[in-house]
Amino acid sequence: MPSAKPPFEQFFAHRRLYPVAQFTPDGSGVLFVSNISGQFNLWSVGVDGGWPDQLTTYTDRSVRAIAVAPDGTILFTADRDGDEFTQLFRIAADGWPEQLTDLAQVQHYIFAGAWTHDGSRFAFSANSRRPQDGEVFVWNGSDEPRYLFGEGMFAFGGNFSPDGTTLQAVEFRSNTDNSLYVVDAESGAAVELTPHEGQVKFLPGPWAADGTGFYVLTDEGREFQGLAFQQLEPGRREWVETPERDVDEVAGSADGRVLAWLENTDGWSRLRVRDLVSGADLPEPRLPQGTVSVLGSGLALSHDGSRLALVWDRPARPPEVWVVDTASGEARPVTESRLGGLRRLRLREPELVSYPSFDKREIPAWLYRPDAGGPAPFVLAIHGGPEAQERPIYRAVFQYLLSRGIGVLATNIRGSTGYGRTYQTLIHHDWGGSDLEDWRHAADWLREQDFVDGERLGVYGGSYGGFATLTCVTRLPEYWAAAVDIVGPSNLVTFARSVPPQWLRFMAAWVGDSETEEEFLLERSPITYVDQVRAPLLVIQGAKDPRVVKAESDQMVERLRELGREVEYVVFEDEGHGFTRYENEVRGYRLTCEWLERHLTPG
């Protein structure tokens, strides 16, 4: 007799989208990045949908970002096996991908507005001169790249001004502090437009058509990130929108007539569009209730502002690229990421809840309740970052667990974005401190619910969520019946010393100083409490991970094996900080689900 429960593969019968969406110059097509082929390649689809054209055919590289020139030439970055050493590539109009750089251990970054409006040059940033910095270069793609700005900084090039004489640049000082410059594209002379005291975020947006300034996202003097217009004199800004929630993204049409932005309310997204000529808001896009990835949506407008494109996500179906007609608000998906079997599943939407922590602070969380005749096992899911946000997106792992009678509580503990500057900065220099109490109180809250079997709790997460998982099983061992750690740091001293070189300048403030605070960091490290582990633990690691190097998992697994604890260790030799290959993603999450199911629903 066939099983009434859908198989694991059915929940993963979809293709992932990277948050990239750009129009072709004539506005008739949308460029996007998807793993339709099994790897994140570049594709193009018409604005009315249809089967997309594949523009790259990589089997070991992942396309990460794109910028489109006026003549249709596409500049893009891609790395190999998730190593994050992104190189520059170019596709001439109707041409084939050409690799422009091949520099080992170097990361290249581009903005969507990297090209000048005449298509003669583009800007990018790289750490090719000094591994610990990020500097901005200008290049025509044939001669040698020309250094422009950023010596001694971690800097990124932004968007060129309409006349191509000036470039935006961002000095990234931390997740909560950066500053904007305008840089002369010939001389490199730079003016800091946003000098400030303390930690303030400034992110560049589209230029005004006349080049007198550009839009910025900033939380200057506020809890939440608002939308402002920055003139070309230091400190001269006027607020455009100041909602009591974050404005996450902003985009403008090249002709300067239309502006669009995304607002974040408890993880749900709202898209707004404005006619800058009349000053009137255009009809609200008729998108279904949904949200965007914490990495963004790729929000883009066609040259004339008549259409808008973005990657839109929902909890009960995978994301799609949507196109919006800005004059009417009519919206339609132009991709179809679901394979046949997924369409037939009954998928669940979460409920937004909160629970009190030790300091009476209310911690937001998404509750996924299974159908169960009695108390059900639950998994505490902890997102990465930690300065990120769990949003109501499609989570195949959650949906599979629900089908097996296992519930999920996906938390936004202190440090998460989307709840104001104060909440976000609570995690700074406090990994394994107050956040530990947020996890403890999440487990206690679950145990108090009559629909939860408090003796069958699991914990699961990746990156910082992996650190959280390891902290839970080592320092709160009495709560857990199973755990899965994906690319999580286990020793904050070795972690802080082994991050990418550009990050070293941040680690003392973010986590702690590995030279002067070694004792403090060891007191917060899961490895210090490894002998307290009781729960069976699955550890998944990418061999080429540049953020949390393999040694972080090696040392934890080695100690657990010495202690005779139940631990399974799986290393993906061709992956980095997460999964880029579809086959690896399916295998990794199959192992995760089977581990949790085996230990939380025995028999």
Side-chain angles (χ1 to χ4, degrees):
M1 292 288 291
S3 171
K5 295 180 179 179
F8 171 85
E9 293 85 357
Q10 197 166 352
F11 294 90
F12 280 82
H14 71 97
R15 296 310 187 204
R16 287 170 58 198
L17 291 165
Y18 207 69
V20 170
Q22 288 291 315
F23 283 96
T24 56
D26 64 2
S28 66
V30 180
L31 301 168
F32 67 98
V33 174
S34 174
N35 68 346
I36 296 170
S37 62
Q39 190 74 30
F40 283 107
N41 276 294
L42 180 60
W43 299 74
S44 176
V45 67
V47 294
D48 293 317
W51 184 254
D53 294 325
Q54 187 171 354
L55 304 183
T56 64
T57 58
Y58 298 126
T59 58
D60 58 355
R61 293 189 184 274
S62 293
V63 177
R64 301 291 192 178
I66 67 173
V68 185
D71 69 353
T73 299
I74 303 167
L75 177 70
F76 67 94
T77 61
D79 66 348
R80 188 187 299 276
D81 293 335
D83 63 8
E84 299 186 16
F85 295 119
T86 43
Q87 303 300 324
L88 292 171
F89 298 78
R90 176 176 58 191
I91 305 176
D94 300 320
W96 190 251
E98 169 194 7
Q99 186 165 352
L100 299 179
T101 63
D102 188 12
L103 300 175
Q105 306 294 305
V106 172
Q107 296 177 319
H108 299 80
Y109 299 97
I110 57 173
F111 266 51
W115 289 94
T116 55
H117 284 215
D118 64 3
S120 63
R121 296 166 295 162
F122 58 84
F124 68 92
S125 61
N127 63 334
S128 51
R129 298 202 313 171
R130 285 167 49 92
Q132 65 269 39
D133 293 341
E135 299 175 323
V136 181
F137 299 81
V138 173
W139 199 11
N140 62 12
S142 56
D143 299 330
E144 286 297 308
R146 178 167 54 86
Y147 164 79
L148 189 68
F149 172 80
E151 185 171 1
M153 299 178 181
F154 188 18
F156 299 90
N159 306 299
F160 271 104
S161 61
D163 63 5
T165 63
T166 304
L167 178 71
Q168 302 163 340
V170 186
E171 181 188 3
F172 186 87
R173 299 170 182 168
S174 79
N175 288 335
T176 51
D177 184 25
N178 38 62
S179 199
L180 301 182
Y181 296 75
V182 285
V183 185
D184 186 285
E186 292 300 324
S187 70
V191 176
E192 184 177 7
L193 296 181
T194 58
H196 57 274
E197 298 293 330
Q199 296 195 8
V200 184
K201 285 186 284 188
F202 292 96
L203 299 171
W207 285 82
D210 61 5
T212 57
F214 52 86
Y215 292 89
V216 299
L217 301 180
T218 179
D219 62 358
E220 184 179 33
R222 309 183 70 245
E223 273 294 309
F224 294 96
Q225 191 166 272
L227 176 62
F229 184 79
Q230 172 70 55
Q231 298 183 36
L232 300 184
E233 295 180 33
R236 292 198 62 185
R237 285 178 295 283
E238 303 87 36
W239 286 110
V240 177
E241 292 288 326
T242 54
E244 287 304 301
R245 53 193 171 276
D246 279 337
V247 177
D248 282 339
E249 292 178 70
V250 61
S253 59
D255 64 5
R257 297 176 63 87
V258 180
L259 187 73
W261 66 94
L262 281 162
E263 297 179 2
N264 173 354
T265 302
D266 294 323
W268 296 107
S269 293
R270 179 191 178 196
L271 177 60
R272 297 185 60 189
V273 187
R274 181 165 295 167
D275 183 328
L276 294 176
V277 177
S278 68
D281 284 354
L282 293 171
E284 186 152 342
R286 293 195 288 275
L287 292 162
Q289 184 182 33
T291 188
V292 302
S293 159
V294 72
L295 297 177
S297 71
L299 181 65
L301 283 151
S302 60
H303 185 281
D304 63 0
S306 64
R307 294 189 179 104
L308 177 152
L310 80 170
V311 179
W312 192 247
D313 214 328
R314 288 182 275 172
R317 69 164 292 165
E320 305 292 355
V321 176
W322 285 71
V323 169
V324 177
D325 294 324
T326 57
S328 66
E330 178 188 345
R332 58 193 175 277
V334 295
T335 59
E336 175 52 80
S337 66
R338 296 177 301 172
L339 304 183
L342 186 59
R343 299 167 188 257
R344 296 190 293 270
L345 290 178
R346 186 173 73 88
L347 302 173
R348 309 295 185 81
E349 300 211 4
E351 173 189 354
L352 183 61
V353 300
S354 66
Y355 62 88
S357 192
F358 71 100
D359 56 358
K360 310 303 180 186
R361 195 178 298 274
E362 288 291 319
I363 307 300
W366 295 100
L367 177 67
Y368 295 78
R369 292 180 59 165
D371 289 333
F378 260 75
V379 171
L380 178 65
I382 306 170
H383 65 67
E387 295 173 61
Q389 186 182 28
E390 181 67 37
R391 302 189 185 195
I393 65 174
Y394 179 71
R395 298 282 192 191
V397 168
F398 295 0
Q399 298 292 343
Y400 174 83
L401 293 175
L402 287 169
S403 77
R404 267 50 183 178
I406 301 171
V408 177
L409 184 70
T411 61
N412 275 308
I413 57 94
R414 67 192 63 220
S416 300
T417 54
Y419 307 98
R421 180 215 302 258
T422 299
Y423 194 79
Q424 180 179 347
T425 56
L426 289 174
I427 197 65
H428 291 181
H429 203 262
D430 197 30
W431 286 35
S434 298
D435 51 357
L436 175 70
E437 293 304 315
D438 289 351
W439 306 324
R440 185 199 305 273
H441 282 72
D444 286 338
W445 183 86
L446 282 170
R447 285 181 164 184
E448 292 168 0
Q449 309 308 308
D450 58 10
F451 54 84
V452 176
D453 182 345
E455 299 303 311
R456 292 188 292 162
L457 297 183
V459 60
Y460 148 78
S463 191
Y464 167 82
F467 164 80
T469 296
L470 295 177
T471 300
C472 283
V473 298
T474 56
R475 299 177 65 189
L476 302 172
E478 67 275 16
Y479 287 97
W480 317 107
V484 180
D485 153 43
I486 302 176
V487 297
S490 65
N491 182 326
L492 293 182
V493 175
T494 54
F495 166 62
R497 292 172 179 169
S498 61
V499 296
Q502 304 101 310
W503 291 19
L504 291 172
R505 53 172 43 89
F506 312 130
M507 296 311 291
W510 281 354
V511 180
D513 191 317
S514 63
E515 302 303 323
T516 64
E517 297 182 293
E518 185 170 336
E519 184 177 343
F520 165 75
L521 292 175
L522 285 175
E523 186 268 331
R524 299 295 186 90
S525 296
I527 195 72
T528 302
Y529 309 93
V530 65
D531 60 331
Q532 299 187 102
V533 172
R534 302 180 196 172
L537 176 65
L538 170 64
V539 177
I540 294 175
Q541 177 68 46
K544 297 187 177 181
D545 191 336
R547 304 187 188 198
V548 179
V549 297
K550 181 173 173 288
E552 287 300 308
S553 292
D554 289 348
Q555 60 186 298
M556 179 57 102
V557 171
E558 181 181 353
R559 286 289 294 123
L560 287 169
R561 287 174 173 168
E562 289 173 355
L563 292 165
R565 302 296 197 268
E566 184 177 356
V567 59
E568 183 173 334
Y569 188 28
V570 180
V571 177
F572 288 83
E573 297 296 335
D574 52 0
E575 295 287 6
H577 197 66
F579 298 112
T580 59
R581 285 174 165 80
Y582 178 73
E583 62 187 90
N584 289 344
E585 178 188 24
V586 171
R587 180 184 170 221
Y589 288 127
R590 179 197 295 279
L591 291 168
T592 296
C593 290
E594 289 178 347
W595 186 266
L596 293 169
E597 187 178 3
R598 182 188 324 145
H599 292 288
L600 298 181
T601 59

